[in-house]
Amino acid sequence: MSIRKGKNYPYGIHIPDMKYLCASSPIEVMPAPNKLFISLSQHIGAPAIPVVAPGDEVKKGQIIGKESGAISANIYSSVSGKVLSIEEIVNGVGQKQKYIVIENDFKNEEVLFPDMKDFEAQSIIDRIRLAGIVGLGGAGFPTAVKLSPKSPLEILVINGAECEPYLNCDNRLMLERTDDIFKGINYVAKALNVKRIIIGIEKNKPEALEAFSKYEGFEVVALKKQYPVGSEKHLIYCTTGRKVPVGKMPFDVGCCVQNIKTMIACYEAIELNKPLTEIVMTVSGLGINSPKNLKVAIGTPFEDIIKYCGGLKENTVKLVCGGPMMGKALANTVKFASKTDSGLIALSGEECSVAQPSNCINCARCANNCPMRLMPMYIESCALAGDFVGAEKYGAMNCIECGSCAYNCPAKRALVESIRFAKAKIKEAKQNGK
Amino acid sequence: MENNGQMLVYSSSPHKKAPRTTRFIMINVCVALIPACIAGIIFFGYLAAIILALSLISAVISEFVYLLICGMNFKKICAQFDFTSCVTGLLVGLTIGVNYPLYAPVLGSMFAIIVVKMFFGGTGKNLVNPAIAGRIFIFISFQSVVTEWILPSGNPVTGATELTGMLESGNLSSLSLLDMFLGRNLAGCIGETCKLALIIGAVYLCAMRIIDIRFPLIYIAVTGLFTVALNGFNFAYFLPSILLGGLIIGAFFMATDYVTTPNTKAGNYIYFFLLGILTAGLRQATGMETVSFAILLMNLLIPLIDKIIINKPFGFTKTKKKSVKDN
Ligand code: SF4
Ligand code: SF4
């Protein structure tokens, strides 16, 4: 099918995308390390419950953590080996999580799911749930829940925008595994029972656009290169023209947004009978010696990944897990690859600003660029003054934390940090009120 | 691991920020004012240079002294110095005439920086534009001392300037439009007579994406058209009303100051439209040059505009509004 142009959305920002660092390097498979730390909460919702004990022998693809509750996900071992311990670790982004530590025996024995009996909608959803698939774009919301909407949907939107600078893994996957993605999308569309499938890809990935245009049955939309076009609400607007109302979810306008990587995971679970044990991530930034697109086993320590990519350069000042706009900074390298990690970016001093904030000069750049049309400077001043009612009035709860406001602020104010703080306080107040 | 000793910065997202800082913006505004300064010096001679230097230096020194008195150490002041006081100082100097006593620019800058800016909390916290306030301060304080404007030739014009003369008597000025544009034979302040220089600066600011060209143009156009309307729709008034007086410098360099403009696009349209109406109306009513008074008055309205007009979130719907009210 031919490539269609996306609807124009006037608010957003333009960031140097820095994708050149590894846009053309094919995905490399990183061998699993000696020791893996697999977190039991790699998703939104309740942590999984460990079903192995220290000393147990596990195989690759064997379940080690079982979902607990409706919104949760199974966790599988990504290597064969022995469970050393189950311990709580505070990782580099400051989360305290339970980890299952597994020692790799390098035998690579693997267990698979049985073949699917049929490919009906419910069996597909069950398999996706079983395989522990969650939204791999970063949110980590269990995909099976997303595929069982309360009301019927009309459109499946696939997010191939990858608007975060530096990140390349979706782009590489779209080029290298186009067929698998296509199959995955079709299964998911079947599970959702939707007729219309749209895939939105930013214009700066012409090869990916080209690759998808040869398939029949879905619309390929070329999106303007603008951050954050890959945010759910904006992607829906740019591809379908529908606006998700304030405080509503994509399914309220009959859409379901899925990530490229999630589609591949679905394909692997359904056709190859594999659970989710590997992720593809971009290791990039001017602070890393050899930027790469890597396929790593879930649970691989970031330290090993950094070593595999040639180590950090002297000038690294910041390590970011995820993309540089929405990812989390790491205080140290104690972090282990999880389902939702899409990047490890080592920023050098010249790339990231560590300037001190000064007074807001009311330039309104933040408000003019906010893709959600909020008033970030007011939310911030309300939040700093402790007026969380005011912060809510200026739209704090609608903030998608995209960082467009803080990116452009000449006074270098920590807008997103304050807004996040305000959001937490507003939520707290609501809970106490109920 | 080898990099363990390295300090990693740990802070909130986003981790990448645009290189543009407040300081960069303010330095560029200063750069944009350079043509006007040069034109002023060419037209009005060395006295203009002295006045500009005095106002600039006293503005910067006022800021430093104030902060030092507040107990900030010198290094920190230097580190956070953002050149806004340079812009203020230059604008104060550009908007007075060469016949003012030399302590006028010093007093004006001090008033602008200390009273109008620093007392309210420094950069970004001031209610009204410091340069405008400084100019009005000088204008009112020296009203009885300085009653005439100086022509570039050095001869004084008593009483009415070209603009006020035109508005009062209703006779169009005898100057050619080109003279008005270049500032030849035009009495006035150091920086406001040569429109060419000001427009060069304004184009630079637009090219650097520091000001949004739409808003000053709206201001200028509304002022011109409203003057035309007040004078019986005589379009011969249009260009003179724009080119005479301080409208160009006010529109491009004073009214567009970030701190004293509304924070939304819609608010800005209203602000600059009202500003044009007010300027033309006051000019007609008082027979004086009222650009700075109009800007001062409108500055005071900004909190109101910003209270009423805020952006509507993406996906905002009417029903949502109702439910908020119901609560
Ligand atoms: S306020 Fe929120 S949604 Fe708006 S630009 Fe800032 S981070 Fe993005
Ligand atoms: S971008 Fe920064 S300086 Fe400008 S209004 Fe927003 S918070 Fe203030």
Side-chain angles (χ1 to χ4, degrees):
Chain A
M1 272 185 74
S2 63
I3 302 168
R4 167 163 75 85
K5 248 172 92 179
K7 221 174 149 81
N8 196 17
Y9 184 67
Y11 308 103
I13 57 172
H14 302 275
I15 315 172
D17 67 10
M18 302 297 283
K19 306 230 186 212
Y20 69 89
L21 284 169
C22 56
S24 49
S25 30
I27 296 167
E28 253 177 68
V29 182
M30 176 181 162
N34 284 337
K35 226 173 162 187
L36 289 95
F37 297 72
I38 302 175
S39 167
L40 286 168
S41 34
Q42 305 181 21
H43 45 261
I44 287 182
I49 298 164
V51 291
V52 287
D56 286 1
E57 293 284 336
V58 290
K59 297 213 168 77
K60 183 176 177 186
Q62 183 182 329
I63 190 160
I64 53 174
K66 212 165 175 48
E67 56 181 25
S68 62
I71 300 183
S72 185
N74 288 335
I75 309 275
Y76 291 84
S77 170
S78 33
V79 288
S80 61
K82 198 165 128 200
V83 177
L84 289 182
S85 60
I86 300 174
E87 49 188 299
E88 271 193 342
I89 301 176
V90 179
N91 66 18
V93 286
Q95 301 155 322
K96 191 173 182 186
Q97 290 180 346
K98 248 195 187 151
Y99 288 87
I100 297 182
V101 187
I102 296 176
E103 187 177 37
N104 192 353
D105 62 6
F106 296 99
K107 288 192 194 128
N108 228 356
E109 289 165 317
E110 193 170 0
V111 283
L112 295 175
F113 296 136
D115 279 337
M116 299 258 294
K117 283 191 205 77
D118 59 63
F119 292 97
E120 292 308 315
Q122 196 50 47
S123 347
I124 293 174
I125 294 175
D126 288 345
R127 173 53 64 90
I128 288 173
R129 162 147 229 151
L130 181 68
I133 296 171
V134 298
L136 300 181
F141 192 77
T143 304
V145 181
K146 228 172 159 183
L147 295 184
S148 331
K150 289 183 210 92
S151 52
L153 301 183
E154 294 153 36
I155 310 177
L156 171 63
V157 183
I158 305 296
N159 186 355
E162 202 168 46
C163 55
E164 277 264 13
Y166 295 88
L167 299 190
N168 259 311
C169 39
D170 285 3
N171 181 27
R172 288 312 306 176
L173 286 171
M174 286 191 281
L175 297 182
E176 293 172 26
R177 306 191 57 184
T178 326
D179 264 331
D180 301 348
I181 296 171
F182 178 68
K183 285 181 196 153
I185 293 174
N186 279 334
Y187 285 123
V188 171
K190 194 160 177 211
L192 279 171
N193 192 20
V194 295
K195 293 277 143 353
R196 224 175 132 195
I197 306 168
I198 304 179
I199 175 160
I201 302 174
E202 253 188 7
K203 268 190 199 134
N204 62 347
K205 305 179 195 47
E207 293 150 320
L209 280 166
E210 204 46 54
F212 277 101
S213 62
K214 62 175 193 267
Y215 294 99
E216 284 301 321
F218 56 71
E219 299 160 46
V220 183
V221 177
L223 304 166
K224 193 167 104 185
K225 186 186 146 0
Q226 173 180 300
Y227 182 84
V229 71
S231 112
E232 260 186 353
K233 291 183 176 179
H234 300 97
L235 187 71
I236 290 174
Y237 179 75
C238 292
T239 52
T240 68
R242 300 182 183 194
K243 277 190 187 173
V244 181
V246 169
K248 292 283 167 62
M249 301 294 282
F251 59 75
D252 289 306
V253 292
C255 295
C256 177
V257 179
Q258 292 288 351
N259 179 274
I260 292 285
K261 281 194 258 175
T262 318
M263 293 302 101
I264 293 191
C266 291
Y267 158 79
E268 289 187 342
I270 293 162
E271 279 203 3
L272 308 182
N273 302 324
K274 276 187 181 170
L276 179 58
T277 59
E278 285 163 334
I279 50 150
V280 177
M281 65 195 285
T282 300
V283 187
S284 183
L286 294 182
I288 197 110
N289 277 319
S290 48
K292 283 185 164 94
N293 294 303
L294 284 185
K295 187 177 197 175
V296 300
I298 288 173
T300 307
F302 275 17
E303 244 172 72
D304 291 317
I305 298 176
I306 293 170
K307 232 179 251 163
Y308 186 77
C309 294
L312 297 177
K313 287 186 197 157
E314 278 300 303
N315 58 2
T316 308
V317 294
K318 209 174 203 182
L319 273 182
V320 180
C321 169
M325 294 301 286
M326 293 183 71
K328 297 194 172 90
L330 291 169
N332 49 45
T333 46
V334 184
K335 174 85 177 77
F336 314 98
S338 79
K339 291 177 184 173
T340 50
D341 291 341
S342 48
L344 169 60
I345 314 292
L347 293 170
S348 66
E350 56 190 287
E351 288 167 285
C352 72
S353 142
V354 285
Q356 284 301 309
S358 52
N359 275 356
C360 165
I361 55 167
N362 265 345
C363 65
R365 279 195 164 79
C366 49
N368 290 341
N369 288 312
C370 173
M372 293 307 289
R373 314 294 301 121
L374 312 177
M375 306 292 289
M377 66 295 226
Y378 293 159
I379 304 178
E380 193 206 20
S381 55
C382 286
L384 294 183
D387 171 13
F388 300 110
V389 178
E392 193 176 5
K393 185 183 131 216
Y394 289 118
M397 293 317 276
N398 298 322
C399 172
I400 53 171
E401 298 177 17
C402 67
S404 306
C405 47
Y407 176 82
N408 263 333
C409 175
K412 308 283 163 227
R413 302 212 52 92
L415 294 163
V416 182
E417 198 177 338
S418 320
I419 295 173
R420 230 180 254 144
F421 174 64
K423 277 169 95 170
K425 286 284 177 189
I426 294 168
K427 261 188 211 148
E428 205 176 276
K430 281 206 176 130
Q431 266 162 12
N432 293 345
K434 262 171 205 164
Chain B
M1 139 184 191
E2 78 240 68
N3 281 86
N4 253 352
Q6 208 162 305
M7 270 297 287
L8 291 177
V9 179
Y10 182 61
S11 68
S12 160
S13 66
H15 308 291
K16 257 187 107 68
K17 287 185 179 168
R20 182 164 291 202
T21 58
T22 308
R23 187 184 291 193
F24 173 89
I25 291 172
M26 293 306 164
I27 291 177
N28 274 290
V29 178
C30 292
V31 170
L33 284 170
I34 288 177
C37 297
I38 294 175
I41 295 170
I42 292 174
F43 282 128
F44 297 101
Y46 72 97
L47 257 182
I50 294 176
I51 287 183
L52 286 172
L54 278 177
S55 62
L56 175 65
I57 293 168
S58 47
V60 176
I61 291 181
S62 308
E63 177 165 328
F64 270 76
V65 169
Y66 181 88
L67 289 174
L68 281 174
I69 293 173
C70 288
M72 210 185 251
N73 76 34
F74 189 72
K75 261 202 192 129
K76 203 171 163 211
I77 301 176
C78 292
Q80 61 138 51
F81 183 66
D82 56 15
F83 288 84
T84 34
S85 46
C86 294
V87 175
T88 307
L90 274 181
L91 282 173
V92 168
L94 285 171
T95 49
I96 59 180
V98 277
N99 51 342
Y100 278 83
L102 286 182
Y103 55 87
V106 178
L107 284 180
S109 286
M110 278 169 64
F111 177 79
I113 296 295
I114 296 179
V115 179
V116 184
K117 191 172 113 182
M118 298 320 277
F119 278 3
F120 284 86
T123 307
K125 302 272 168 102
N126 45 298
L127 277 183
V128 298
N129 185 324
I132 293 274
R135 176 195 165 130
I136 290 175
F137 173 77
I138 299 176
F139 184 73
I140 293 173
S141 321
F142 292 83
Q143 224 168 8
S144 52
V145 189
V146 183
T147 50
E148 49 203 19
W149 293 99
I150 298 287
L151 282 172
S153 59
N155 298 329
V157 217
T158 317
T161 60
E162 291 290 337
L163 174 75
T164 54
M166 173 183 93
L167 293 171
E168 260 172 11
S169 61
N171 297 330
L172 282 175
S173 158
S174 54
L175 284 174
S176 75
L177 286 175
L178 187 66
D179 277 349
M180 293 180 197
F181 185 67
L182 294 178
R184 281 189 308 216
N185 294 323
L186 191 60
C189 310
I190 297 170
E192 70 180 25
T193 54
C194 182
K195 311 304 171 317
L196 178 67
L198 290 169
I199 287 171
I200 292 173
V203 168
Y204 175 77
L205 285 186
C206 295
M208 296 298 289
R209 293 169 164 254
I210 289 173
I211 60 172
D212 187 335
I213 192 70
R214 276 174 293 176
F215 299 120
L217 288 184
I218 288 175
Y219 177 26
I220 293 170
V222 170
T223 310
L225 290 174
F226 198 55
T227 310
V228 166
L230 287 176
N231 285 291
F233 289 97
N234 183 349
F235 276 91
Y237 280 92
F238 186 69
L239 282 175
S241 71
I242 291 171
L243 292 176
L244 292 173
L247 182 60
I248 302 276
I249 190 173
F252 285 115
F253 293 98
M254 291 171 151
T256 53
D257 171 27
Y258 288 143
V259 184
T260 50
T261 42
N263 280 335
T264 52
K265 285 258 150 67
N268 269 312
Y269 283 115
I270 294 174
Y271 174 78
F272 281 94
F273 181 80
L274 288 179
L275 197 52
I277 301 279
L278 196 63
T279 306
L282 281 179
R283 266 181 180 178
Q284 205 73 28
T286 61
M288 291 203 313
E289 172 52 319
T290 53
V291 169
S292 37
F293 287 100
I295 295 178
L296 187 78
L297 283 177
M298 285 305 294
N299 278 348
L300 296 173
L301 267 188
I302 288 173
L304 184 66
I305 295 179
D306 272 342
K307 189 141 191 105
I308 298 171
I309 299 174
I310 58 172
N311 288 342
K312 296 205 167 55
F314 178 58
F316 179 86
T317 43
K318 281 269 162 54
T319 45
K320 169 82 182 167
K321 201 173 182 181
K322 254 186 215 149
S323 71
V324 168
K325 263 187 198 156
D326 291 346
N327 293 340

